[in-house]
Amino acid sequence: MAAMAVYGYARVSTSRQAEEGESLDVQQRTAAGYALMLGLTVDRMFVERGVSGSIPLSERTEGMALLAVLKPGDVLITPKLDRLFRSALDALDVLAKLKARDVSLHMIDLGGDVTGNGISKLVFTILSAVAEAERDRIRERVTQVKRDQRQRNRYLGGIVPFGFRVGNDGCLVPDAAEQVLMAHARALRADGATLRAIQAVLELRHGRKLSLDALHRVLANAARPPEGTPNHDVAGNGPIAKVPHVD
């Protein structure tokens, strides 16, 4: 069985901090000094220079290398929680994975080993509470953005509603040809035509064969023809043909 290894992790966000090196040096010395207090020696220090904390550990160059070498029984030391993780959600996810791999994580600013001693339960409880608050804030922001986009008639993704297309500015704008088809279908339905009959007429007149389910949705969502012209399509092409009631 391979011997236990001790790793350190340090990170700075800006290139200036990385060039000056002071912050990195302090972090590395702090980790090394902490290890000595435990009778350990840091075998390798992973140093992330000019990397934003908003990037998950698994997507950072040194972070990926670190996660790749960790094995059961290893010890990972970092001076501060925010050097390693981007958020409480990220921290909970990585901590759970490290515990499952039997890797001890020591965060000096939180008192030491957060995966295997009495501090662990407290840290996980606090992080869970903070993570839930983060989830709530994320949901609230998403809801606000969607509400604003909807009020501005913006396309929010998914299937574009029949009768519309996405404009260059991201707004839903009427599609003239589909709006004509919708008006024709609505007028035929108002005249008593069945879905199958309407389907046949639309294919003949507009070259579009809609499934019965799609046609049902079109009829449910289509705007009614302009008031005063119930028997004419919206393009002014004259009377709309009547069809027999056929299923």
Side-chain angles (χ1 to χ4, degrees), residues 139-153:
R139 283 193 292 265
E140 184 177 344
R141 286 198 297 269
V142 169
T143 300
Q144 289 175 343
V145 169
K146 285 188 175 182
R147 184 184 301 116
D148 176 67
Q149 296 290 70
R150 192 175 293 110
Q151 290 174 347
R152 296 165 61 190
N153 201 33

Side-chain angles (χ1 to χ4, degrees), residues 16-164:
R16 180 179 177 183
Q17 285 178 324
E19 289 169 3
E20 293 175 351
E22 181 180 354
S23 179
L24 285 174
D25 286 344
V26 170
Q27 290 180 54
Q28 293 179 80
R29 288 197 301 270
T30 300
Y34 174 84
L36 287 175
M37 289 175 56
L38 299 178
L40 303 173
T41 301
V42 175
D43 297 295
R44 179 179 173 183
M45 181 69 68
F46 290 83
V47 179
E48 212 88 64
R49 294 176 171 83
V51 177
S52 170
S54 64
I55 300 173
L57 180 67
S58 60
E59 295 178 15
R60 305 172 194 169
T61 302
E62 291 296 295
M64 285 190 288
L66 169 62
L67 293 174
V69 302
L70 288 172
K71 61 185 183 301
D74 284 349
V75 174
L76 172 58
I77 301 172
T78 189
K80 298 178 65 178
L81 180 146
D82 65 1
R83 297 301 88 193
L84 201 60
F85 306 116
R86 63 174 178 166
S87 67
L89 285 170
D90 186 36
L92 279 176
D93 179 58
V94 177
L95 281 172
K97 291 176 180 176
L98 292 179
K99 289 190 70 173
R101 293 169 64 179
D102 194 27
V103 173
S104 297
L105 172 61
H106 294 248
M107 288 191 285
I108 300 172
D109 63 329
L110 294 183
D113 186 357
V114 296
T115 52
N117 64 10
I119 300 174
S120 175
K121 186 174 182 180
L122 175 62
V123 169
F124 270 79
T125 299
I126 294 173
L127 286 177
S128 296
V130 175
E132 184 59 32
E134 288 178 356
R135 293 188 190 96
D136 290 340
R137 286 198 300 271
I138 291 171
R139 283 193 292 265
E140 184 177 344
R141 286 198 297 269
V142 169
T143 300
Q144 289 175 343
V145 169
K146 285 188 175 182
R147 184 184 301 116
D148 176 67
Q149 296 290 70
R150 192 175 293 110
Q151 290 174 347
R152 296 165 61 190
N153 201 33
R154 294 277 183 172
Y155 174 57
L156 300 178
I159 299 174
V160 178
F162 192 89
F164 296 87

